[in-house]
Every structure is written in C-alpha cells, then in structure tokens.
C-alpha cells in the first residue's frame, strides 16, 4: 500500500520535470529566434546581448544561463541545421539508397538553413567555429559525425570498400562543407548552389578514397 501511495507523488514529480524541461527548451528557442530576427535586421556585429534579451523578453541572467556568450547562439543555429540534415540522412539510410544521393540530400538541407541567414552571419559562424576549434572546442564536428554515419553504413552495406577510412574522410568532408559555406556566403560560387558545388567536391573525395 505504501508503494501505491507514493506513485502519484512520483508521477507528479515526473510531470513537473517534463514541464520544466519543455519550458527550458522553449526559452532557449525564443532566444535563438530573437537573435536571428535581430541579426537579419541589424547585422550580427551591431546586435548586443541586451538587444536579444529585450526582444525575447528575458533577463540577461537568463540569457547567460543558456549561452555563455553571444557567439554561442550561432552554434545553436548550427545545431538545428545539422539536426535536420541528420534526420534526412537517417531516413534515407532506412530505404534503398546510394551514397551520392544521401550526400546531396544532406547538403541541400544544410543549404536551406544557410540561405535563411544573412551572408555576414554565415561567415561569422564559420570563423567563430574555427576559433573555437583552435581553442579545443570543435563545434563544427557535428557535420563530420553525419558523414561518418553515412560512410560507415555504406561500408557495412558494401557500397564502400572495407579499407575506406570513415573517420578521416568524414573530417575532410566536413572541412569542405565549412569552407564551401564560407565561399558561398562570400558570393564566390556565382549562380551555382552550395549543394551542387560542395556535393561534387565531397562525392569526388569519397570516390577517390574508395579507389585508393
């Protein structure tokens, strides 16, 4: 009987924890959305943490609870982009697939995200990622993890040879994506899309290592 009596209390605590977690995610999402809107309107450099807090209706203390610096909001935007790309890759790998098609779909999803951001913001995010990598905090590795998952699955399915160096090629592919995004944002691809240019580069990379 004692155990039965405790169940509603435990259930209430679980619901409360779930509510707090959902509220936390909502607050974080509100901060990211406010920051993105301000960056599009005013530019990244001219937008302050105070501006973001006013737009989101939260205190600075709450902002710094979620993000140690303004730059860290950039990485949250990147998380959303790579999460969508990872979902696309996972769905494709669950059906009959070929590697170039999965690569193209991943890059198209990433391009959809970067096209929604001002070029200045895309470049700033990439450069900040490089600075963080030099400091030992590689926030850009999320993309390489997606490629590693795709390449490992393809190797298991005999679509890539056993000698294929999954980790190394995934890291190089991630570098192509980062530099490709920077060049695209700088207008160096002209009318060509990010996904088309970088897709060709990554596919050539994979083919080269597969034949090596």
């Amino acid at each position: 009987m004692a155990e039965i009596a405790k169940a509603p209390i435990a259930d209430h605590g679980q619901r409360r924890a779930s509510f707090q977690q959902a509220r936390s995610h909502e607050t974080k999402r509100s901060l990211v959305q406010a920051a993105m809107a301000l960056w599009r309107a005013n530019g990244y450099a001219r937008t302050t943490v105070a501006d973001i807090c006013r737009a989101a209706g939260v205190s600075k203390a709450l902002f710094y609870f979620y993000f140690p610096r303004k730059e860290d909001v950039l990485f949250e935007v990147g998380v959303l982009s790579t999460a969508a790309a990872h979902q696309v890759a996972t769905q494709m790998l669950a059906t009959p697939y070929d590697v170039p098609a999965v690569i193209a779909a991943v890059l198209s999803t990433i391009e959809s995200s970067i096209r929604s951001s001002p070029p200045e913001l895309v470049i700033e995010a990439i450069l900040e990622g490089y600075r963080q990598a030099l400091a030992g905090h590689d926030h850009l590795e999320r993309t390489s993890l997606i490629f590693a998952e795709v390449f490992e699955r393809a190797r298991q399915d005999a679509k890539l040879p056993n000698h294929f160096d999954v980790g190394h090629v995934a890291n190089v592919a991630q570098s192509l994506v980062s530099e490709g995004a920077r060049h695209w944002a700088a207008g160096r691809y002209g009318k060509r899309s990010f996904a088309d240019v970088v897709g060709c580069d990554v596919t050539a990379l994979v083919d080269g290592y597969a034949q090596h």
Side-chain angles (χ1 to χ4, degrees):
M1 292 295 292
E3 291 182 0
I4 295 175
K6 290 180 181 178
I9 298 174
D11 185 58
H12 174 73
Q14 186 176 18
R15 288 200 305 271
R16 183 176 180 182
S18 298
F19 172 77
Q20 289 174 336
Q21 185 177 30
R23 186 174 181 181
S24 175
H25 286 315
E26 182 60 33
T27 301
K28 194 173 186 180
R29 185 163 47 247
S30 295
L31 284 166
V32 172
Q33 291 173 344
M36 288 295 294
L38 288 168
W39 290 339
R40 291 189 188 105
N42 305 324
Y44 176 78
R46 292 185 296 277
T47 300
T48 66
V49 169
D51 294 332
I52 297 170
C53 292
R54 278 194 297 271
V58 303
S59 66
K60 276 190 176 183
L62 191 57
F63 176 93
Y64 288 118
F65 175 79
Y66 292 106
F67 302 107
R69 304 171 306 141
K70 181 179 77 170
E71 290 81 358
D72 290 305
V73 184
L74 290 172
F75 297 119
E76 189 64 24
V77 176
V79 167
L80 297 176
S81 172
T82 52
H86 183 245
Q87 183 177 13
V88 166
T90 301
Q91 291 172 345
M92 292 187 71
L93 292 176
T95 65
Y97 70 93
D98 63 82
V99 177
V102 179
I103 292 172
V106 166
L107 295 175
S108 293
T109 304
I110 293 174
E111 180 170 359
S112 295
S113 176
I114 64 176
R115 280 189 178 277
S116 68
S117 303
E120 170 203 6
L121 189 59
V122 174
I123 294 172
E124 184 62 37
I126 296 299
L127 295 179
E128 179 61 24
Y130 289 152
R131 287 191 286 268
Q132 289 293 311
L134 290 173
H137 308 289
D138 194 352
H139 295 280
L140 299 174
E141 66 181 359
R142 297 184 188 94
T143 308
S144 71
L145 294 176
I146 296 173
F147 283 124
E149 186 174 310
V150 172
F151 299 156
E152 179 59 32
R153 174 62 184 276
R155 187 169 65 174
Q156 293 174 4
D157 292 341
K159 294 177 183 292
L160 289 173
N162 286 330
H163 70 263
F164 190 86
D165 191 338
V166 168
H168 177 69
V169 180
N171 286 334
V172 177
Q174 176 263 308
S175 298
L176 291 173
V177 171
S178 298
E179 279 299 281
R182 188 170 68 86
H183 290 312
W184 175 84
R188 295 177 184 171
Y189 293 160
K191 294 182 178 180
R192 299 181 67 191
S193 76
F194 161 85
D196 285 345
V197 175
V198 180
C200 288
D201 292 341
V202 174
T203 299
L205 171 74
V206 172
D207 289 344
Y209 272 92
Q211 298 171 16
H212 184 65

